Amino acid sequence: MQKLEQVLDCSFKNKDLLKQAFTHGSCKQGALLSDFETYERLEFFGDSVVSFLTAEFLYLKYGKESEGMLSKKKSAIVSGAVLAGVAKHLKLHKYLIAAKEVDKENPALLADVFEAMLGAVYLDAGIEKCREILLKFLFSKEDEILQSEVFQNPKALLNEKTQELGFGVPAYEELDEWGEIHKRKFRMAVNAGGKRLGQGVGFSKKEAEQNAAKEALKQIFLH
């Protein structure tokens, strides 16, 4: 943990708090650990810390952008795929305390641990240190993130957003097909959480699915 503190440039006053951020629930098996000693609660808190500071960063940087575009950028930056990438860069899996059968490099787990770590940093050192860490390791990658598939690919971004909202993985269905053979058009719909989120038309099913995802994202960000 001392090496991690050096990487983060953050010396913890409460070392147990940092240890908790990296203690997986699997350690409760056969041990006298309670839910209060694993990372879940810190992950819940750290998720809000990362979300707030990302919103602050974007709001201050882009003074003339719409709420919809700011929301889209924020969703890309705090997506599980991006946070997992930052966690992998920091080699957080090496510090994770977990049972042998746990895949310490699982992207979803790494994203959660990153958020738990930020929650611990906030409680121990305050919001300014969290802001410094995010500026150095996350916000510095903004241009790269906004050129990545998670931002440029509407289906990838919608997949992240619907799962974040608890709607599950979006499903696409063909509604219509028409036109001459070499100029066929397709109408596709995307559904999630028992709701139809959007429709799209394209010269291939893939293109129509992307357009349906774009429409769904517009609806989500407008509400």
Side-chain angles (χ1 to χ4, degrees):
M1 291 299 180
Q2 186 177 6
K3 183 176 181 180
L4 179 60
E5 288 180 302
Q6 292 174 352
V7 171
L8 298 176
D9 190 24
C10 180
S11 180
F12 272 71
K13 297 183 285 292
N14 183 352
K15 306 295 184 184
D16 288 339
L17 194 62
L18 181 58
K19 181 179 178 182
Q20 180 187 345
F22 287 87
T23 302
H24 189 264
S26 62
C27 293
K28 290 189 292 184
Q29 300 172 10
L32 298 176
L33 284 180
S34 70
D35 289 337
F36 295 93
E37 297 173 282
T38 60
Y39 77 80
E40 283 88 351
R41 282 169 52 85
L42 281 172
E43 184 269 326
F44 162 78
F45 180 60
D47 173 74
S48 294
V49 173
V50 174
S51 181
F52 166 71
L53 288 174
T54 302
E56 176 194 61
F57 169 75
L58 293 171
Y59 181 83
L60 294 176
K61 181 173 181 178
Y62 298 102
K64 295 184 179 180
E65 286 201 347
S66 68
E67 182 269 344
M69 181 54 71
L70 291 174
S71 293
K72 185 179 178 182
K73 288 182 176 180
K74 175 174 171 284
S75 289
I77 291 172
V78 303
S79 68
V82 169
L83 296 186
V86 175
K88 189 173 182 179
H89 171 73
L90 292 170
K91 296 181 171 59
L92 297 190
H93 61 281
K94 291 188 174 182
Y95 308 100
L96 187 61
I97 306 164
K100 290 182 179 179
E101 64 270 16
V102 173
D103 178 6
K104 294 183 178 181
E105 296 189 58
N106 178 282
L109 176 56
L110 285 175
D112 287 348
V113 170
F114 179 81
E115 291 175 335
M117 181 187 74
L118 262 292
V121 171
Y122 180 96
L123 293 173
D124 193 82
I127 195 168
E128 187 56 42
K129 179 54 68 174
C130 291
R131 190 179 283 113
E132 289 177 15
I133 291 171
L134 290 175
L135 280 170
K136 182 176 182 180
F137 297 107
L138 180 61
F139 302 157
S140 61
K141 301 179 182 296
E142 180 202 0
D143 290 342
E144 178 185 336
I145 293 168
L146 298 185
Q147 292 299 319
S148 69
E149 183 182 43
V150 75
F151 184 75
Q152 298 293 335
N153 183 343
K155 288 179 66 176
L157 182 55
L158 181 64
N159 186 54
E160 288 275 357
K161 192 66 178 177
T162 55
Q163 293 188 69
E164 176 189 322
L165 294 172
F167 294 164
V169 178
Y172 295 85
E173 65 171 309
E174 184 178 340
L175 298 179
D176 198 7
E177 179 182 345
W178 69 95
E180 299 176 19
I181 294 178
H182 61 289
K183 290 184 179 181
R184 300 297 287 173
K185 279 192 175 183
F186 301 86
R187 186 187 307 278
M188 302 293 292
V190 58
N191 308 300
K195 299 179 180 179
R196 176 157 293 173
L197 302 180
Q199 297 183 28
V201 174
F203 287 104
S204 68
K205 290 183 180 180
K206 183 177 180 180
E207 182 184 7
E209 287 177 354
Q210 293 282 23
N211 288 331
K214 286 180 184 178
E215 180 61 29
L217 287 168
K218 288 179 184 177
Q219 296 302 318
I220 290 173
F221 289 134
L222 283 174
H223 296 86

